[in-house]
Amino acid sequence: METNRGEWSSKFGFILAAAGSAIGLGNIWRFPYVVGQNGGAAFVLLYLFFVIIIGLPYMFAEMALGRSTQRNPVGAIEALKPRSPWKLAGYLGLLTAFGILSFYGVIAGWTFGYIFKMLSGKTGGFAGFISDPLLVTFLFALFLAITALIVHGGVARGIERWSKILMPMLFVILLGLVIYAVTLKGAAAGLTFYLKPDLTKITGSTMLAALGQAFFSLSLGMGLMITYGSYVSKKMNMVTSGFSIALFDTVIAIMAGLVIFPALFAMGKSPSAGPTLVFVVLPELFSMMPGGLVVGAFFFLLLSIAALTSTISLLEVPVAYLADERKISRKTTVWAVAFVTFLVGLPSALSQGASGFFTDFGLLPERLASADFLSHVSFLFGDLSLALGAFLISVFVGWVWGARLAADEIQSGSPGFARFRKIWIFMIRFFIPAVIFVILLNLFGIFG
Ligand code: PHE
């Protein structure tokens, strides 16, 4: 990540950074728990469908917006349609980045803490761990501080270099866990739950959850791909890059499910546990394996790093805006944003048992399977506001900037895109906004 208006050194560098943003807790922590809460395989199918027909074509729109204007989300919209209310879509993106980081950092903190918990040999006691107010607050603050330090120091280059080694390692360790989990006694019921769709389980809120998870996991709907796209050179092929990012991201999520569900059913646990699911199942799995504690510690280390490349990207979005448009020094911005995020995230950190009020928050009982504050923030920013943001940005690109200009931008560096041009224009103008709109209406009970 460049601090001035630079360019990625190579296509590979861009794919790595964007995939680093996409792959994270969303794949390994959030995906299995929303699958569990939304009935299993039917949700997985819906999720894959949304990744392919909405997420991927929409990703090109964000990248084109960024590359064409070389600006942050607010600046990009301002550059194409000066002094218009469309800028609000950019501001919504900034707000969403804050909102996501505020709960994501909490989970990232747990992940980090679990490295040491595995090393100490204590695999159980998760409920005690996350309800310890000092511990979770400390881990949350620590993770935000590490993120801020990296974004501030601009040593993301180092992170990129490490990612080249560490992300393939995450893949390998995950593959090993898949093999271990599917061969457990009782695993078959988990595979059925995860892979055999029961279409009657699809409801209005499942649809939003699947769409939201597709956006969340691909880091779409809040301007991240606008920001990262703004560092892309005109010669680079955005289409094949987008494909690789979506493919890596999806494969990792699917694999996470192949570990969690067989293991979960083999242990006789319920899939609808919510945000704590993975942290309960995985340590128990590690405790069953020979040498499992070392594997576990290593796994949580890799997951912490995957989370770090995502928190860096989340912090980068508001920071890029404040530094570009408000001309506030990067140094001040980074620490101010991290500090505000910490304050906003405290209720989430305390919502897993430390504070009764935030644990049993329950403001949106029909929408959510878990009553805790963190689940609310995850729904509001991680699903709803991403869908809304993607709706606004697709209408902006399709109708205000103009789908043809956007398609020209995508085509630069990707000559093969010419064949899909017509269909892409149709998607971004009609199909994508219409599908999102219907899902949002449905959520608010418009269809009874
Ligand atoms: N995609 C990241 C993940 O799955 C989370 C994220 C969302 C990061 C939006 C940036 C922007 O972990």
Side-chain angles (χ1 to χ4, degrees):
M1 187 85 256
E2 302 285 338
T3 51
N4 48 12
R5 285 255 146 256
E7 276 182 4
W8 302 105
S9 48
S10 66
K11 178 179 171 186
F12 187 62
F14 169 64
I15 295 179
L16 210 62
S21 168
I23 298 170
L25 297 170
N27 309 60
I28 290 167
W29 159 72
R30 199 176 193 263
F31 178 71
Y33 104 67
V34 291
V35 170
Q37 283 185 333
N38 287 283
F43 177 90
V44 177
L45 209 62
L46 210 55
Y47 167 77
L48 290 176
F49 183 71
F50 286 144
V51 166
I52 297 165
I53 64 154
I54 306 237
L56 194 57
Y58 170 78
M59 187 191 288
F60 300 147
E62 276 201 21
M63 287 180 181
L65 207 50
R67 189 172 73 173
S68 159
T69 58
Q70 315 270 298
R71 307 279 289 277
N72 62 80
V74 177
I77 293 173
E78 178 69 13
L80 295 168
K81 189 78 187 163
R83 282 178 296 283
S84 75
W86 284 102
K87 247 176 38 177
L88 290 177
Y91 287 120
L92 178 68
L94 303 183
L95 187 73
T96 309
F98 261 111
I100 294 181
L101 191 55
S102 80
F103 73 85
Y104 199 93
V106 172
I107 315 294
W110 299 353
T111 312
F112 193 65
Y114 255 64
I115 304 171
F116 305 97
K117 200 158 181 319
M118 290 296 110
L119 287 177
S120 77
K122 289 195 280 292
T123 53
F126 179 63
F129 178 90
I130 49 166
S131 60
D132 180 338
L134 285 180
L135 183 62
V136 287
T137 306
F138 168 73
L139 289 169
F140 175 40
L142 184 67
F143 207 91
L144 282 179
I146 297 172
T147 306
L149 213 61
I150 291 172
V151 175
H152 169 200
V155 290
R157 272 178 195 288
I159 290 274
E160 278 179 36
R161 207 171 16 239
W162 278 103
S163 299
K164 281 184 214 171
I165 310 163
L166 293 168
M167 289 307 107
M169 271 178 158
L170 181 66
F171 178 83
V172 171
I173 199 168
L174 211 50
L175 190 65
L177 291 177
V178 169
I179 296 169
Y180 184 76
V182 298
T183 52
L184 288 173
K185 205 162 147 285
L191 288 174
T192 308
F193 176 82
Y194 186 48
L195 299 174
K196 194 158 171 280
D198 170 2
L199 296 182
T200 61
K201 296 240 172 84
I202 296 182
T203 64
S205 59
T206 339
M207 291 224 263
L208 180 69
L211 184 75
Q213 177 61 22
F215 284 131
F216 185 88
S217 193
L218 294 169
S219 301
L220 297 176
M222 45 143 290
L224 186 272
M225 289 295 170
I226 302 179
T227 309
Y228 274 21
S230 74
Y231 308 110
V232 165
S233 100
K234 296 279 181 198
K235 294 190 293 282
M236 205 196 73
N237 189 324
M238 289 199 287
V239 175
T240 49
S241 308
F243 260 103
S244 318
I245 295 161
L247 184 69
F248 293 147
D249 187 64
T250 308
V251 167
I252 299 279
I254 295 296
M255 284 170 74
L258 283 174
V259 179
I260 299 297
F261 293 106
L264 185 79
F265 280 74
M267 293 166 189
K269 288 191 189 333
S270 152
S272 57
T276 59
L277 180 73
V278 172
F279 286 91
V280 173
V281 175
L282 285 179
E284 196 165 323
L285 190 69
F286 294 133
S287 74
M288 290 155 48
M289 296 165 66
L293 293 180
V294 178
V295 177
F298 195 54
F299 175 84
F300 282 111
L301 175 69
L302 294 176
L303 188 56
S304 298
I305 291 163
L308 190 60
T309 52
S310 301
T311 52
I312 289 170
S313 75
L314 284 162
L315 187 58
E316 179 63 30
V317 173
V319 166
Y321 162 75
L322 290 166
D324 273 10
E325 309 288 320
R326 304 270 150 174
K327 311 281 179 248
I328 302 173
S329 94
R330 232 185 121 80
K331 188 170 164 182
T332 317
T333 333
V334 167
W335 292 99
V337 172
F339 184 67
V340 174
T341 308
F342 173 71
L343 296 180
V344 177
L346 266 182
S348 291
L350 301 177
S351 74
Q352 304 295 318
S355 143
F357 178 71
F358 290 120
T359 304
D360 211 2
F361 199 62
L363 194 67
L364 300 165
E366 325 86 75
R367 301 269 169 264
L368 297 170
S370 320
D372 58 291
F373 190 82
L374 193 151
S375 292
H376 283 71
V377 186
S378 166
F379 169 73
L380 287 177
F381 291 102
D383 291 317
L384 195 57
S385 112
L386 292 182
L388 192 61
F391 173 75
L392 294 175
I393 291 172
S394 58
V395 172
F396 180 79
V397 169
W399 299 91
V400 182
W401 180 22
R404 277 179 194 84
L405 291 176
D408 291 343
E409 183 65 47
I410 300 172
Q411 212 161 316
S412 150
S414 327
F417 181 70
R419 266 182 295 152
F420 307 103
R421 194 185 156 94
K422 277 220 173 67
I423 172 136
W424 183 81
I425 289 178
F426 170 77
M427 302 284 276
I428 205 70
R429 300 190 84 171
F430 299 99
F431 185 74
I432 296 176
V435 171
I436 302 176
F437 190 67
V438 170
I439 290 177
L440 286 175
L441 282 188
N442 196 357
L443 180 81
F444 293 110
I446 307 293
F447 303 127

mmCIF file of all heavy atoms in Angstrom, residues 18-28 30 97 100 104 213 215-222 224 249 306-307 309-311 313-314 317 386, ligand 1:
data_model
loop_
_atom_site.group_PDB
_atom_site.id
_atom_site.type_symbol
_atom_site.label_atom_id
_atom_site.label_comp_id
_atom_site.label_asym_id
_atom_site.label_seq_id
_atom_site.Cartn_x
_atom_site.Cartn_y
_atom_site.Cartn_z
ATOM 1 N N ALA A 18 -5.245 -7.151 -2.351
ATOM 2 C CA ALA A 18 -6.709 -7.225 -2.380
ATOM 3 C C ALA A 18 -7.185 -8.562 -1.803
ATOM 4 O O ALA A 18 -8.169 -8.606 -1.060
ATOM 5 C CB ALA A 18 -7.218 -7.027 -3.805
ATOM 6 N N ALA A 19 -6.463 -9.637 -2.144
ATOM 7 C CA ALA A 19 -6.842 -10.931 -1.574
ATOM 8 C C ALA A 19 -6.568 -10.923 -0.073
ATOM 9 O O ALA A 19 -7.309 -11.513 0.719
ATOM 10 C CB ALA A 19 -6.097 -12.075 -2.252
ATOM 11 N N GLY A 20 -5.510 -10.210 0.345
ATOM 12 C CA GLY A 20 -5.207 -10.084 1.769
ATOM 13 C C GLY A 20 -6.340 -9.398 2.503
ATOM 14 O O GLY A 20 -6.681 -9.758 3.628
ATOM 15 N N SER A 21 -6.934 -8.398 1.846
ATOM 16 C CA SER A 21 -8.074 -7.719 2.443
ATOM 17 C C SER A 21 -9.281 -8.653 2.486
ATOM 18 O O SER A 21 -9.982 -8.746 3.485
ATOM 19 C CB SER A 21 -8.415 -6.468 1.638
ATOM 20 O OG SER A 21 -9.662 -5.961 2.047
ATOM 21 N N ALA A 22 -9.495 -9.353 1.387
ATOM 22 C CA ALA A 22 -10.682 -10.209 1.290
ATOM 23 C C ALA A 22 -10.600 -11.403 2.250
ATOM 24 O O ALA A 22 -11.552 -11.704 2.970
ATOM 25 C CB ALA A 22 -10.859 -10.696 -0.149
ATOM 26 N N ILE A 23 -9.456 -12.074 2.248
ATOM 27 C CA ILE A 23 -9.333 -13.267 3.085
ATOM 28 C C ILE A 23 -9.040 -12.856 4.515
ATOM 29 O O ILE A 23 -8.102 -12.102 4.774
ATOM 30 C CB ILE A 23 -8.209 -14.187 2.559
ATOM 31 C CG1 ILE A 23 -8.567 -14.658 1.149
ATOM 32 C CG2 ILE A 23 -7.997 -15.379 3.502
ATOM 33 C CD1 ILE A 23 -7.433 -15.363 0.450
ATOM 34 N N GLY A 24 -9.840 -13.343 5.419
ATOM 35 C CA GLY A 24 -9.618 -12.968 6.818
ATOM 36 C C GLY A 24 -10.622 -13.679 7.692
ATOM 37 O O GLY A 24 -11.061 -14.798 7.388
ATOM 38 N N LEU A 25 -11.005 -13.015 8.770
ATOM 39 C CA LEU A 25 -11.955 -13.616 9.697
ATOM 40 C C LEU A 25 -13.298 -13.867 9.033
ATOM 41 O O LEU A 25 -14.048 -14.742 9.449
ATOM 42 C CB LEU A 25 -12.137 -12.689 10.892
ATOM 43 C CG LEU A 25 -10.860 -12.469 11.707
ATOM 44 C CD1 LEU A 25 -11.070 -11.349 12.712
ATOM 45 C CD2 LEU A 25 -10.470 -13.753 12.419
ATOM 46 N N GLY A 26 -13.583 -13.086 7.986
ATOM 47 C CA GLY A 26 -14.832 -13.278 7.254
ATOM 48 C C GLY A 26 -14.959 -14.689 6.719
ATOM 49 O O GLY A 26 -16.056 -15.258 6.702
ATOM 50 N N ASN A 27 -13.850 -15.258 6.291
ATOM 51 C CA ASN A 27 -13.885 -16.600 5.717
ATOM 52 C C ASN A 27 -13.920 -17.677 6.786
ATOM 53 O O ASN A 27 -14.613 -18.676 6.642
ATOM 54 C CB ASN A 27 -12.635 -16.853 4.866
ATOM 55 C CG ASN A 27 -12.397 -15.761 3.863
ATOM 56 O OD1 ASN A 27 -12.224 -14.599 4.231
ATOM 57 N ND2 ASN A 27 -12.411 -16.106 2.612
ATOM 58 N N ILE A 28 -13.144 -17.494 7.829
ATOM 59 C CA ILE A 28 -12.937 -18.605 8.761
ATOM 60 C C ILE A 28 -13.792 -18.478 10.012
ATOM 61 O O ILE A 28 -14.272 -19.475 10.548
ATOM 62 C CB ILE A 28 -11.433 -18.733 9.068
ATOM 63 C CG1 ILE A 28 -10.759 -19.248 7.781
ATOM 64 C CG2 ILE A 28 -11.155 -19.679 10.242
ATOM 65 C CD1 ILE A 28 -9.280 -19.158 7.756
ATOM 66 N N ARG A 30 -16.554 -15.815 10.328
ATOM 67 C CA ARG A 30 -17.916 -15.373 10.085
ATOM 68 C C ARG A 30 -18.699 -16.321 9.180
ATOM 69 O O ARG A 30 -19.859 -16.624 9.434
ATOM 70 C CB ARG A 30 -17.891 -13.966 9.461
ATOM 71 C CG ARG A 30 -19.217 -13.197 9.584
ATOM 72 C CD ARG A 30 -19.010 -11.796 9.015
ATOM 73 N NE ARG A 30 -20.060 -10.859 9.317
ATOM 74 C CZ ARG A 30 -21.067 -10.577 8.474
ATOM 75 N NH1 ARG A 30 -21.165 -11.197 7.328
ATOM 76 N NH2 ARG A 30 -21.960 -9.674 8.805
ATOM 77 N N ALA A 97 -16.608 1.305 7.191
ATOM 78 C CA ALA A 97 -15.260 0.818 7.522
ATOM 79 C C ALA A 97 -15.031 0.899 9.033
ATOM 80 O O ALA A 97 -14.550 -0.050 9.657
ATOM 81 C CB ALA A 97 -14.208 1.629 6.776
ATOM 82 N N ILE A 100 -17.268 -1.806 10.769
ATOM 83 C CA ILE A 100 -16.754 -3.176 10.638
ATOM 84 C C ILE A 100 -15.509 -3.347 11.506
ATOM 85 O O ILE A 100 -15.390 -4.306 12.263
ATOM 86 C CB ILE A 100 -16.459 -3.528 9.166
ATOM 87 C CG1 ILE A 100 -17.765 -3.559 8.356
ATOM 88 C CG2 ILE A 100 -15.748 -4.877 9.066
ATOM 89 C CD1 ILE A 100 -17.598 -3.909 6.890
ATOM 90 N N TYR A 104 -14.682 -6.237 14.155
ATOM 91 C CA TYR A 104 -13.680 -7.139 13.569
ATOM 92 C C TYR A 104 -12.428 -7.165 14.444
ATOM 93 O O TYR A 104 -11.825 -8.224 14.668
ATOM 94 C CB TYR A 104 -13.346 -6.613 12.181
ATOM 95 C CG TYR A 104 -12.697 -7.586 11.232
ATOM 96 C CD1 TYR A 104 -13.475 -8.329 10.360
ATOM 97 C CD2 TYR A 104 -11.321 -7.748 11.176
ATOM 98 C CE1 TYR A 104 -12.905 -9.200 9.456
ATOM 99 C CE2 TYR A 104 -10.737 -8.615 10.281
ATOM 100 C CZ TYR A 104 -11.537 -9.345 9.422
ATOM 101 O OH TYR A 104 -10.966 -10.200 8.533
ATOM 102 N N GLN A 213 -22.885 -11.486 3.351
ATOM 103 C CA GLN A 213 -21.664 -12.263 3.557
ATOM 104 C C GLN A 213 -20.807 -12.261 2.287
ATOM 105 O O GLN A 213 -19.579 -12.183 2.374
ATOM 106 C CB GLN A 213 -22.003 -13.693 3.998
ATOM 107 C CG GLN A 213 -20.801 -14.620 4.164
ATOM 108 C CD GLN A 213 -19.802 -14.158 5.224
ATOM 109 O OE1 GLN A 213 -20.133 -13.392 6.135
ATOM 110 N NE2 GLN A 213 -18.554 -14.605 5.084
ATOM 111 N N PHE A 215 -20.604 -9.835 0.061
ATOM 112 C CA PHE A 215 -19.938 -8.522 0.019
ATOM 113 C C PHE A 215 -18.861 -8.425 1.097
ATOM 114 O O PHE A 215 -17.755 -7.969 0.847
ATOM 115 C CB PHE A 215 -20.942 -7.385 0.219
ATOM 116 C CG PHE A 215 -21.783 -7.104 -0.992
ATOM 117 C CD1 PHE A 215 -23.161 -6.998 -0.888
ATOM 118 C CD2 PHE A 215 -21.203 -6.932 -2.236
ATOM 119 C CE1 PHE A 215 -23.950 -6.734 -2.005
ATOM 120 C CE2 PHE A 215 -21.974 -6.672 -3.360
ATOM 121 C CZ PHE A 215 -23.349 -6.574 -3.231
ATOM 122 N N PHE A 216 -19.229 -8.859 2.300
ATOM 123 C CA PHE A 216 -18.290 -8.763 3.414
ATOM 124 C C PHE A 216 -17.007 -9.517 3.104
ATOM 125 O O PHE A 216 -15.902 -9.015 3.245
ATOM 126 C CB PHE A 216 -18.932 -9.337 4.685
ATOM 127 C CG PHE A 216 -18.088 -9.185 5.918
ATOM 128 C CD1 PHE A 216 -18.163 -8.036 6.690
ATOM 129 C CD2 PHE A 216 -17.209 -10.190 6.309
ATOM 130 C CE1 PHE A 216 -17.379 -7.894 7.819
ATOM 131 C CE2 PHE A 216 -16.418 -10.049 7.436
ATOM 132 C CZ PHE A 216 -16.506 -8.898 8.197
ATOM 133 N N SER A 217 -17.166 -10.741 2.637
ATOM 134 C CA SER A 217 -16.004 -11.587 2.421
ATOM 135 C C SER A 217 -15.128 -11.070 1.286
ATOM 136 O O SER A 217 -13.906 -11.179 1.339
ATOM 137 C CB SER A 217 -16.459 -13.019 2.139
ATOM 138 O OG SER A 217 -15.363 -13.884 2.225
ATOM 139 N N LEU A 218 -15.745 -10.484 0.267
ATOM 140 C CA LEU A 218 -14.955 -9.955 -0.858
ATOM 141 C C LEU A 218 -14.506 -8.509 -0.610
ATOM 142 O O LEU A 218 -13.936 -7.881 -1.503
ATOM 143 C CB LEU A 218 -15.770 -10.034 -2.147
ATOM 144 C CG LEU A 218 -16.115 -11.439 -2.657
ATOM 145 C CD1 LEU A 218 -17.142 -11.366 -3.785
ATOM 146 C CD2 LEU A 218 -14.866 -12.162 -3.141
ATOM 147 N N SER A 219 -14.754 -7.986 0.582
ATOM 148 C CA SER A 219 -14.421 -6.594 0.920
ATOM 149 C C SER A 219 -15.079 -5.597 -0.039
ATOM 150 O O SER A 219 -14.453 -4.666 -0.508
ATOM 151 C CB SER A 219 -12.914 -6.351 0.902
ATOM 152 O OG SER A 219 -12.248 -7.183 1.802
ATOM 153 N N LEU A 220 -16.378 -5.812 -0.324
ATOM 154 C CA LEU A 220 -17.082 -4.943 -1.258
ATOM 155 C C LEU A 220 -18.173 -4.153 -0.566
ATOM 156 O O LEU A 220 -18.660 -4.551 0.487
ATOM 157 C CB LEU A 220 -17.743 -5.786 -2.350
ATOM 158 C CG LEU A 220 -16.826 -6.583 -3.260
ATOM 159 C CD1 LEU A 220 -17.663 -7.420 -4.219
ATOM 160 C CD2 LEU A 220 -15.897 -5.653 -4.031
ATOM 161 N N GLY A 221 -18.556 -3.032 -1.178
ATOM 162 C CA GLY A 221 -19.720 -2.287 -0.710
ATOM 163 C C GLY A 221 -19.365 -1.115 0.179
ATOM 164 O O GLY A 221 -20.243 -0.361 0.596
ATOM 165 N N MET A 222 -18.078 -0.943 0.499
ATOM 166 C CA MET A 222 -17.686 0.183 1.358
ATOM 167 C C MET A 222 -16.505 0.955 0.779
ATOM 168 O O MET A 222 -15.914 1.772 1.468
ATOM 169 C CB MET A 222 -17.385 -0.307 2.757
ATOM 170 C CG MET A 222 -16.531 -1.546 2.755
ATOM 171 S SD MET A 222 -15.313 -1.641 4.052
ATOM 172 C CE MET A 222 -14.147 -0.439 3.615
ATOM 173 N N LEU A 224 -13.561 -0.183 -0.407
ATOM 174 C CA LEU A 224 -12.194 -0.702 -0.286
ATOM 175 C C LEU A 224 -11.584 -0.955 -1.663
ATOM 176 O O LEU A 224 -10.451 -0.571 -1.937
ATOM 177 C CB LEU A 224 -12.199 -1.992 0.549
ATOM 178 C CG LEU A 224 -10.888 -2.645 0.923
ATOM 179 C CD1 LEU A 224 -10.369 -3.622 -0.102
ATOM 180 C CD2 LEU A 224 -9.807 -1.643 1.290
ATOM 181 N N ASP A 249 -10.670 -16.307 -2.281
ATOM 182 C CA ASP A 249 -11.506 -15.985 -1.133
ATOM 183 C C ASP A 249 -12.567 -17.065 -0.910
ATOM 184 O O ASP A 249 -12.791 -17.511 0.221
ATOM 185 C CB ASP A 249 -12.159 -14.619 -1.358
ATOM 186 C CG ASP A 249 -12.899 -14.134 -0.139
ATOM 187 O OD1 ASP A 249 -12.223 -13.896 0.883
ATOM 188 O OD2 ASP A 249 -14.130 -14.009 -0.185
ATOM 189 N N ALA A 306 -3.884 -13.168 8.719
ATOM 190 C CA ALA A 306 -4.934 -12.970 7.708
ATOM 191 C C ALA A 306 -5.866 -11.847 8.145
ATOM 192 O O ALA A 306 -6.289 -11.013 7.340
ATOM 193 C CB ALA A 306 -5.706 -14.263 7.489
ATOM 194 N N ALA A 307 -6.170 -11.798 9.449
ATOM 195 C CA ALA A 307 -7.033 -10.740 9.973
ATOM 196 C C ALA A 307 -6.334 -9.387 9.886
ATOM 197 O O ALA A 307 -6.961 -8.369 9.576
ATOM 198 C CB ALA A 307 -7.414 -11.038 11.423
ATOM 199 N N THR A 309 -4.128 -8.324 7.651
ATOM 200 C CA THR A 309 -4.156 -7.742 6.306
ATOM 201 C C THR A 309 -5.553 -7.194 5.986
ATOM 202 O O THR A 309 -5.694 -6.350 5.115
ATOM 203 C CB THR A 309 -3.732 -8.765 5.224
ATOM 204 O OG1 THR A 309 -4.499 -9.947 5.378
ATOM 205 C CG2 THR A 309 -2.259 -9.102 5.326
ATOM 206 N N SER A 310 -6.577 -7.681 6.687
ATOM 207 C CA SER A 310 -7.919 -7.125 6.510
ATOM 208 C C SER A 310 -8.116 -5.859 7.344
ATOM 209 O O SER A 310 -8.690 -4.878 6.857
ATOM 210 C CB SER A 310 -8.993 -8.151 6.888
ATOM 211 O OG SER A 310 -8.877 -9.309 6.102
ATOM 212 N N THR A 311 -7.640 -5.854 8.598
ATOM 213 C CA THR A 311 -7.824 -4.639 9.412
ATOM 214 C C THR A 311 -7.009 -3.483 8.835
ATOM 215 O O THR A 311 -7.445 -2.335 8.879
ATOM 216 C CB THR A 311 -7.444 -4.851 10.900
ATOM 217 O OG1 THR A 311 -6.131 -5.410 10.988
ATOM 218 C CG2 THR A 311 -8.424 -5.751 11.611
ATOM 219 N N SER A 313 -6.561 -2.926 5.719
ATOM 220 C CA SER A 313 -7.334 -2.383 4.611
ATOM 221 C C SER A 313 -8.535 -1.587 5.116
ATOM 222 O O SER A 313 -8.915 -0.581 4.537
ATOM 223 C CB SER A 313 -7.763 -3.492 3.657
ATOM 224 O OG SER A 313 -8.822 -4.251 4.195
ATOM 225 N N LEU A 314 -9.136 -2.042 6.221
ATOM 226 C CA LEU A 314 -10.277 -1.320 6.783
ATOM 227 C C LEU A 314 -9.855 0.049 7.313
ATOM 228 O O LEU A 314 -10.547 1.040 7.142
ATOM 229 C CB LEU A 314 -10.915 -2.131 7.910
ATOM 230 C CG LEU A 314 -11.784 -3.307 7.466
ATOM 231 C CD1 LEU A 314 -12.001 -4.289 8.606
ATOM 232 C CD2 LEU A 314 -13.134 -2.813 6.944
ATOM 233 N N VAL A 317 -9.078 2.854 4.499
ATOM 234 C CA VAL A 317 -10.126 3.578 3.779
ATOM 235 C C VAL A 317 -10.411 4.959 4.406
ATOM 236 O O VAL A 317 -10.266 5.974 3.723
ATOM 237 C CB VAL A 317 -11.406 2.718 3.624
ATOM 238 C CG1 VAL A 317 -12.547 3.516 3.038
ATOM 239 C CG2 VAL A 317 -11.110 1.510 2.748
ATOM 240 N N LEU A 386 -23.376 -2.681 3.853
ATOM 241 C CA LEU A 386 -22.639 -3.071 2.638
ATOM 242 C C LEU A 386 -23.591 -3.224 1.465
ATOM 243 O O LEU A 386 -23.301 -2.805 0.339
ATOM 244 C CB LEU A 386 -21.889 -4.390 2.854
ATOM 245 C CG LEU A 386 -20.721 -4.369 3.828
ATOM 246 C CD1 LEU A 386 -20.062 -5.738 3.893
ATOM 247 C CD2 LEU A 386 -19.693 -3.324 3.409
HETATM 248 N N1 PHE B 1 -13.183 -9.289 3.696
HETATM 249 C C1 PHE B 1 -12.676 -9.260 5.018
HETATM 250 C C2 PHE B 1 -12.815 -10.651 5.609
HETATM 251 O O1 PHE B 1 -13.479 -11.478 5.063
HETATM 252 C C3 PHE B 1 -13.368 -8.232 5.876
HETATM 253 C C4 PHE B 1 -13.433 -6.901 5.224
HETATM 254 C C5 PHE B 1 -14.654 -6.368 4.847
HETATM 255 C C6 PHE B 1 -12.278 -6.189 4.955
HETATM 256 C C7 PHE B 1 -14.741 -5.150 4.186
HETATM 257 C C8 PHE B 1 -12.337 -4.971 4.296
HETATM 258 C C9 PHE B 1 -13.555 -4.470 3.915
HETATM 259 O O2 PHE B 1 -12.282 -10.951 6.634
#
